[in-house]
Amino acid sequence: MDETGTQVAETQAMRESVLTMAVEAWRFGRVFDRLLGRLEAGETKRYRNQFNWFMRKVDESLTQAGLRIVNVEGQSFDPGMAATPLNIEEFDASDTLVVDQMLEPIIMGDEGIVRTGTVTLRIAEQ
């Protein structure tokens, strides 16, 4: 591999590392957010502020890399959505579905989808 090929491979490896860290930070944020819900109100504010700061830093870093996290939780499900539904076989084609939970976020770049997400679905409330 020549020097240019090596640089491209290194850039792709770094981009993949950033994507992995973004997904894991997003997952950690979801767990931490649930944990905050179990704390007493006095403790929650301090940790909530630290958590919000951390997530802002993640978003800023992704923006600098030309990336952003897209959360479609609660939105109507569209088969063309950039997310894989894990439980689609539990529903009929006539059911109106919404994204119940995002297990992995969608990551978008300047030129489109960089990484698809993973979701679970539920029937929309009428």
Side-chain angles (χ1 to χ4, degrees), residues 27 29-39 101:
R27 283 183 179 163
R30 306 238 343 167
V31 170
F32 194 75
D33 196 42
R34 282 196 302 267
L35 175 69
L36 289 176
R38 295 181 181 172
L39 295 177
Q101 206 173 18

Side-chain angles (χ1 to χ4, degrees), residues 3-85:
E3 189 171 320
T4 302
T6 301
Q7 290 172 340
V8 169
E10 288 175 356
T11 300
Q12 288 175 340
M14 286 176 36
R15 184 177 173 98
E16 194 59 36
S17 294
V18 168
L19 290 171
T20 299
M21 285 191 292
V23 169
E24 294 308 320
W26 185 85
R27 283 183 179 163
F28 175 74
R30 306 238 343 167
V31 170
F32 194 75
D33 196 42
R34 282 196 302 267
L35 175 69
L36 289 176
R38 295 181 181 172
L39 295 177
E40 292 182 23
E43 290 180 293
T44 302
K45 184 176 179 182
R46 179 174 150 227
Y47 293 117
R48 169 84 51 206
N49 288 339
Q50 290 178 337
F51 171 69
N52 290 341
W53 178 87
F54 172 74
M55 293 309 293
R56 253 192 327 273
K57 289 296 184 185
V58 169
D59 284 341
E60 288 172 9
S61 296
L62 288 175
T63 299
Q64 289 175 350
L67 303 168
R68 64 185 167 88
I69 291 176
V70 176
N71 185 347
V72 293
E73 211 166 79
Q75 293 184 15
S76 296
F77 175 70
D78 176 347
M81 188 176 271
T84 303

